[in-house]
Structure formats: structure tokens, C-alpha cells
């Protein structure tokens, strides 16, 4: 039986086990997906065990998406450009790293917006998730701007990827607004106005938040009230999980089964 799992710290509350195990079951894949909650001090030993056959593949979450790259035999070009790996494939002890986060983000957008080519996309944030967003949107031909509470971080990211950037006050309207910060996780009292004013928000057509806990973030709630089209975080989660499943099994993922598990676990 093949073994997969999520590497993180913490990792216990991940939705990945439920979603991937349901997908394996639906296609009768002889595999199981578990949780590898590994403290940083044990990471090197853990990776050694993976190479030795502990797991055939990993999902990687915080705080390991960057540091795990040091232990891999190869890292795909897109993951290297983003600077983060969220998926590992173990081929007989040879570990390869991929990034399916940006693919998931793009798919979640494309299924609502259609082609992203020439669309003006504004990314909020300048952390790892924002890097994936900027890379992915640019790859799809969008006109990208990246804006962050700490403007200097957004400007550095903007310069690296050759896009526009600035502080949150510099945001103007556009076609797509993509929220990648951890604001709703860091501060339960945060409101939409901590990121963007309603006046500027209403200048957008589609608003996506990559956060899925809570599913209806203050931003999504406000955007809906303003009549904008919205995309909640579980769409990105779903699509990145689908790509992971396909990298590991070589089979087309059972999307509806995975969607249902997510719907049952999120509200
Ligand atoms: P990730 O890897 O998930 O993107 P990260 O690298 O820790 O996470 O980045 C967190 C992002 O959320 C940053 O852009 C951070 O802004 P700063 O660079 O100014 O710290 C943003 N963020 C977190 N809390 C925020 C808040 N209360 N208001 C606005 N932005 C916030």
C-alpha cells in the first residue's frame, strides 16, 4: 500500500487527509494518507525516513514549504521561482518538489473569470502565498500589482517579478482582487477596512480570498454585499489537492468526491 501524508507543524487540523483518502477510495487506489506532524529539529531525520520508504509522497505546509527544498533531489522550475514546495514525490528515494498552490489559485480564478490574460489583478500580501499568486497570475498573462501592509516587502516582491507594487493605500480598482494575507488568522477582530476601503473594493469585479477558515471572511462577506463575484478559499484548496493527487497517482482525480468532502467539512 502506498503511503502519503501532510508534513507540517502543526498539521493535525489539515483537511488534506479527508480529501485525499476519499479520492483514493473512490478510485480504489491502494494508498492511504496520514499526518506527519514533525518539529523542526526532527525534519532532517524525518526526510531521511521518507527517502527510506516511509512515504511515497508528501503535502507540505507551514513552516516547511521553503526549508524542505534543501532536502530534495530536484525542484521544478516554477516551484523554484516561487521559492516554495507544497508537494513532494518520492521515486525510490529520489525526492522531487513541486508547487501546486499557484496552479490551484489560477484554476479557482479561471473557473469563474475565464482567461486571465490582460486582466488587471491585485494581490494583497507579500508572504509566501503572495509570491505564488504573483508568479501564477503573471504566468497566465494577467497585469499584476502586489500591495502589502509593509509596503517595502511588496515593492521588493514587485521588483523581483517585474510587476507593480506598493502599500495597501496604493490599491486602485481592477478586475480581480486576490487576498493572500494571514490577517483573518492573525487577528480575529480584523475587518475588511484593515485591508481595503469599500470605495476601492467596489471597483473590482471578482474577489477571491485564499483563506478557508473562516470560509466567509470579512472580505468575502463585504464583496458579496457590494454585489461582486466572490471565490472562497476552498476552491484553491480543492484544485491544489487535485494536482497533488494526479502527481502521485498519475490518475485523473475524482473532483466531485473531493468537493463533497470539503463541503461537508467547511461551512
Ligand atoms: P504566508 O506564507 O501564508 O503568505 P507570511 O509569509 O507570514 O504568510 O505573510 C503574511 C502576510 O500577511 C504578510 O503580507 C503580512 O503583512 P506584513 O508583511 O505587513 O507583516 C500579512 N498580514 C498579516 N497580518 C496582517 C494584518 N493584520 N493586516 C494586514 N496584513 C497582515
Amino acid at each position: 500500500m502506498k503511503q502519503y501524508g501532510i508534513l507540517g507543524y502543526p498539521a493535525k487540523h489539515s483537511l488534506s487527509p479527508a480529501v485525499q483518502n476519499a479520492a483514493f477510495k473512490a478510485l480504489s487506489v491502494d494508498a492511504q494518507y496520514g499526518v506527519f506532524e514533525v518539529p523542526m529539529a526532527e525534519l532532517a531525520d524525518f526526510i531521511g525516513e521518507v527517502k527510506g520508504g516511509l512515504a511515497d509522497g508528501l503535502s507540505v505546509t507551514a513552516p516547511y514549504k521553503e526549508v524542505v527544498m534543501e532536502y530534495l533531489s530536484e525542484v521544478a522550475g516554477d516551484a523554484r521561482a516561487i521559492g516554495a514546495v507544497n508537494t513532494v514525490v518520492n521515486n525510490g528515494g529520489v525526492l522531487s518538489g513541486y508547487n501546486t498552490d499557484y496552479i490551484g489559485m489560477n484554476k479557482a480564478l479561471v473557473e469563474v473569470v475565464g482567461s486571465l490574460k490582460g486582466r488587471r489583478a491585485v494581490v494583497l500580501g507579500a508572504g509566501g502565498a503572495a509570491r505564488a499568486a504573483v508568479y501564477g497570475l503573471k504566468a497566465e498573462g494577467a497585469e499584476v500589482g502586489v500591495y502589502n501592509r509593509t509596503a517595502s516587502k511588496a515593492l521588493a516582491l514587485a521588483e523581483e517579478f517585474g510587476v507593480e507594487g506598493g502599500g495597501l493605500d496604493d490599491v486602485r480598482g481592477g478586475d480581480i482582487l486576490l487576498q493572500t494575507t494571514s490577517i483573518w488568522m492573525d487577528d480575529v477582530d480584523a475587518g475588511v477596512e484593515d485591508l481595503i476601503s469599500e470605495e476601492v473594493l467596489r471597483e473590482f469585479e471578482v474577489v477571491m480570498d485564499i483563506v478557508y477558515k473562516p470560509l466567509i471572511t470579512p472580505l468575502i462577506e463585504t464583496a458579496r454585499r457590494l454585489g461582486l463575484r466572490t471565490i472562497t478559499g476552498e476552491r484553491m484548496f480543492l484544485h491544489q489537492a487535485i494536482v497533488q493527487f494526479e502527481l502521485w497517482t498519475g490518475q485523473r482525480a475524482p473532483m466531485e468526491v473531493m468537493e463533497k468532502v470539503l463541503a461537508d467539512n467547511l461551512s
Side-chain angles (χ1 to χ4, degrees), residues 21-131:
N21 281 321
F24 290 145
K25 194 168 166 213
L27 298 190
S28 301
V29 176
D30 188 24
Q32 67 181 17
Y33 188 107
V35 174
F36 298 115
E37 197 166 83
V38 178
M40 190 66 90
E42 291 168 23
L43 182 65
D45 287 348
F46 172 76
I47 297 287
E49 286 176 37
V50 170
K51 285 185 184 166
L54 179 70
D56 299 284
L58 300 171
S59 306
V60 183
T61 188
Y64 295 126
K65 286 185 185 186
E66 290 93 21
V67 69
V68 77
M69 297 203 296
E70 293 168 26
Y71 298 90
L72 306 178
S73 306
E74 49 190 37
V75 174
D78 45 10
R80 195 168 287 288
I82 291 165
V85 156
N86 77 320
T87 310
V88 172
V89 176
N90 181 8
N91 228 320
V94 177
L95 303 187
S96 306
Y98 301 88
N99 188 304
T100 71
D101 282 333
Y102 85 91
I103 303 174
M105 264 181 227
N106 280 352
K107 289 206 165 158
L109 280 168
V110 166
E111 70 186 357
V112 169
V113 178
S115 170
L116 303 179
K117 200 165 169 47
R119 306 305 293 270
R120 166 124 184 95
V122 165
V123 175
L124 300 182
R131 287 183 69 85

Side-chain angles (χ1 to χ4, degrees), residues 4-263:
Y4 300 91
I6 179 150
L7 165 64
Y9 195 82
K12 272 202 272 293
H13 300 295
S14 168
L15 290 170
S16 292
V19 170
Q20 297 292 357
N21 281 321
F24 290 145
K25 194 168 166 213
L27 298 190
S28 301
V29 176
D30 188 24
Q32 67 181 17
Y33 188 107
V35 174
F36 298 115
E37 197 166 83
V38 178
M40 190 66 90
E42 291 168 23
L43 182 65
D45 287 348
F46 172 76
I47 297 287
E49 286 176 37
V50 170
K51 285 185 184 166
L54 179 70
D56 299 284
L58 300 171
S59 306
V60 183
T61 188
Y64 295 126
K65 286 185 185 186
E66 290 93 21
V67 69
V68 77
M69 297 203 296
E70 293 168 26
Y71 298 90
L72 306 178
S73 306
E74 49 190 37
V75 174
D78 45 10
R80 195 168 287 288
I82 291 165
V85 156
N86 77 320
T87 310
V88 172
V89 176
N90 181 8
N91 228 320
V94 177
L95 303 187
S96 306
Y98 301 88
N99 188 304
T100 71
D101 282 333
Y102 85 91
I103 303 174
M105 264 181 227
N106 280 352
K107 289 206 165 158
L109 280 168
V110 166
E111 70 186 357
V112 169
V113 178
S115 170
L116 303 179
K117 200 165 169 47
R119 306 305 293 270
R120 166 124 184 95
V122 165
V123 175
L124 300 182
R131 287 183 69 85
V134 170
Y135 176 88
L137 288 163
K138 213 187 155 197
E140 290 295 313
E143 211 182 291
V144 185
V146 57
Y147 302 89
N148 190 45
R149 175 176 63 180
T150 310
S152 57
K153 283 205 231 163
L155 287 166
L157 184 56
E159 194 183 326
E160 182 181 342
F161 287 94
V163 301
E164 284 175 34
L168 293 175
D169 289 343
D170 298 320
V171 176
R172 301 290 172 265
D175 297 312
I176 298 160
L177 181 72
L178 181 47
Q179 194 313 98
T180 75
T181 78
S182 49
I183 182 169
W184 320 124
M185 275 105 87
D186 291 357
D187 179 1
V188 285
D189 296 324
V192 70
E193 65 285 353
D194 291 310
L195 284 179
I196 189 168
S197 71
E198 278 197 28
E199 267 170 298
V200 178
L201 181 59
R202 68 170 81 242
E203 298 299 318
F204 287 88
E205 201 180 304
V206 177
V207 174
M208 172 165 159
D209 200 323
I210 69 163
V211 172
Y212 55 83
K213 277 179 195 165
L215 192 57
I216 311 299
T217 64
L219 176 65
I220 292 291
E221 195 177 338
T222 308
R224 285 183 178 171
R225 180 163 52 72
L226 296 174
L228 310 178
R229 283 194 287 169
T230 57
I231 306 169
T232 46
E234 92 286 6
R235 299 307 294 175
M236 171 187 165
F237 181 88
L238 170 72
H239 287 294
Q240 65 78 28
I242 286 173
V243 182
Q244 291 192 326
F245 182 93
E246 295 179 351
L247 278 168
W248 294 326
T249 66
Q251 296 192 50
R252 204 185 164 90
M255 173 156 149
E256 282 167 21
V257 170
M258 297 164 89
E259 260 175 330
K260 174 146 188 349
V261 175
L262 276 177

